[in-house]
Amino acid sequence: MAEEFLATEMDTAVRVVHLASSLCVKVQDKLRLPSSANGHVKSKDDDSPVTVADWGVQAIVSWVLAQVFGGQNLSIVAEEDTESLSKAESLGLLGAVSSAVNEALSEASKYGLPKPDKPLETTEILEAIGRCNSLGGPKGRHWVLDPVDGTLGFVRGDQYAVALALIENGKVLLGVLGCPNYPVKKEGLSNGCNQPGTKGCVMYAKKGSGQAWMQPLIPGGYPEAATLLKVSSVDDPVLATVCEPVERANSNHLFTAGLANSMGVRKKPLRVYSMVKYAAIACGDAEVFMKFAQSSYKEKIWDHAAGVVIVEEAGGVVTDAGGRNLDFSKGVYLEGLDRGIIACSGQVLHEKLIGAVYASWESSSL
């Protein structure tokens, strides 16, 4: 019975991320129009941007999960809240969110999801966004959502991800990543996301299945087929492609460059927004993702949960820099993290990287 229920949760999660990704594509297209960009983006307290898509995705995912599984005992940990959206000066923004949500939900049945009988009122949309107020923790089942991971990339027309995971008693059960700008052609990210060709996919995995899957994003519909994902077989650092965050505030580029150099990495690092870095490793477009944030920065569970399980089930390894598994049981933050996060396409590269971290650490400025 539990296995059947988990299968339903997996199926619903994949479908709702497809639907949410379609909303993001439409909103990002509008952001490219000079007349639409103003008013569709706000700044949060930490100066990071939040857009119509962030709130829109959170509303859709929350509403659909509540419809399918009931809202009573639903626990959703998510990045956005309704505070700034509820203010009087945000009326235009709330209208834009409402319009995006209702446009997307009107197509929900094409994705095999419930559809509202009539357009949702703004109060219902705010309620759906506000429902995502759980703090997670060591007990119970918690959905973990980053509605638009890499909002800066989203605003700039670059890479971003819709990330949804399910955690039970501190362990990630499943993860889904919607990557609407990910180039699905074999040349991958190095070709650049603005090149012509097929782009957009949803990746997903269930813990312990030994399988990770990718489906193409289809405008206005749900795909029939899925492709099995497998990490790269490259285990020589000389041939490895390393991913790291774009923003310097999020990672110490100098340290990771020194680390890569000490391992013999020759290729220039691939600087990518969002959890798309995990996606690149899961489908074999890159071999290493390193993130060493400044000591004052605390990693959030929604920035990693979905990506970690997808990489692991595709055959990769994800730990902190001390080689320990990431701990998703402590609430919103990844507490007790040893220095940084390392994701690799395999055990051999991972061991070399952990060794290089220990060798380099003493001489670093961190």
Side-chain angles (χ1 to χ4, degrees):
M1 188 66 185
E3 197 58 37
E4 278 178 30
F5 191 61
L6 183 59
T8 304
E9 289 170 318
M10 179 93 248
D11 183 61
T12 304
V14 173
R15 289 173 186 274
V16 80
V17 169
H18 270 280
L19 179 61
S21 296
S22 75
L23 176 147
C24 289
V25 169
K26 287 172 184 168
V27 173
Q28 193 179 51
D29 286 345
K30 284 181 183 169
L31 282 178
R32 288 181 175 141
L33 302 172
S35 59
S36 300
N38 290 339
H40 276 59
V41 183
K42 275 184 89 77
S43 284
K44 291 193 273 192
D45 292 342
D46 61 358
D47 286 336
S48 60
V50 57
T51 71
V52 166
D54 292 80
W55 283 303
V57 168
Q58 191 157 312
I60 281 175
V61 172
S62 170
W63 187 86
V64 168
L65 292 179
Q67 291 298 306
V68 177
F69 302 113
Q72 203 63 37
N73 298 310
L74 194 63
S75 170
I76 307 175
V77 184
E79 184 164 20
E80 309 308 338
D81 59 41
T82 57
E83 192 182 341
S84 59
L85 197 55
S86 304
K87 290 176 181 170
E89 69 268 21
S90 296
L91 206 57
L93 189 62
L94 181 56
V97 170
S98 177
S99 173
V101 166
N102 281 313
E103 185 186 347
L105 284 176
S106 71
E107 297 193 324
S109 54
K110 294 179 185 174
Y111 295 85
L113 294 169
K115 176 182 156 183
D117 298 328
K118 60 183 197 315
L120 299 183
E121 303 284 345
T122 52
T123 50
E124 294 173 287
I125 288 168
L126 286 170
E127 183 189 334
I129 296 168
R131 187 187 290 120
C132 308
N133 60 359
S134 170
L135 298 175
K139 296 278 182 239
R141 287 167 94 84
H142 310 286
W143 290 96
V144 177
L145 171 69
D146 194 337
V148 178
D149 182 41
T151 305
L152 206 53
F154 178 81
V155 170
R156 291 174 177 173
D158 209 315
Q159 296 296 333
Y160 66 98
V162 177
L164 181 62
L166 179 60
I167 292 176
E168 183 177 50
N169 300 333
K171 305 290 182 195
V172 183
L173 292 183
L174 61 87
V176 187
L177 277 182
C179 307
N181 283 342
Y182 197 90
V184 182
K185 288 270 192 264
K186 196 55 216 142
E187 55 269 20
L189 278 173
S190 56
N191 189 41
C193 72
N194 295 317
Q195 299 295 320
T198 311
K199 71 173 184 178
C201 62
V202 172
M203 300 182 187
Y204 57 94
K206 186 175 73 173
K207 185 71 179 170
S209 67
Q211 295 177 327
W213 299 90
M214 177 168 74
Q215 292 178 328
L217 271 186
I218 297 174
Y222 185 75
E224 295 299 317
T227 309
L228 202 57
L229 292 176
K230 204 75 197 131
V231 292
S232 162
S233 58
V234 170
D235 58 12
D236 182 350
V238 173
L239 304 172
T241 298
V242 176
C243 285
E244 63 181 8
V246 176
E247 305 94 321
R248 290 181 184 277
N250 278 2
S251 193
N252 187 323
H253 286 171
L254 206 60
F255 180 72
T256 53
L259 205 54
N261 191 47
S262 71
M263 286 174 66
V265 172
R266 301 268 171 83
K267 294 183 181 180
K268 279 183 70 175
L270 205 54
R271 288 193 177 149
V272 187
Y273 291 102
S274 82
M275 256 187 278
V276 165
K277 293 179 279 288
Y278 284 115
I281 291 176
C283 66
D285 287 335
E287 285 74 36
V288 176
F289 160 39
M290 296 188 271
K291 186 178 182 189
F292 291 88
Q294 310 304 331
S295 55
S296 57
Y297 183 84
K298 290 178 82 173
E299 298 286 353
K300 323 275 195 329
I301 59 172
W302 53 67
D303 286 328
H304 299 280
V308 168
V309 69
I310 291 169
V311 166
E312 287 177 343
E313 297 309 311
V317 184
V318 186
T319 67
D320 67 14
R324 295 182 310 206
N325 291 332
L326 306 189
D327 185 354
F328 292 96
S329 72
K330 298 290 195 288
V332 171
Y333 297 104
L334 285 174
E335 302 286 2
L337 205 59
D338 187 347
R339 294 165 286 190
I341 293 171
I342 291 170
C344 288
S345 54
Q347 201 66 49
V348 174
L349 263 181
H350 184 261
E351 284 169 11
K352 287 177 181 173
L353 193 48
I354 294 287
V357 169
Y358 277 101
S360 304
W361 194 258
E362 296 306 317
S363 59
S364 83
S365 57
L366 281 178

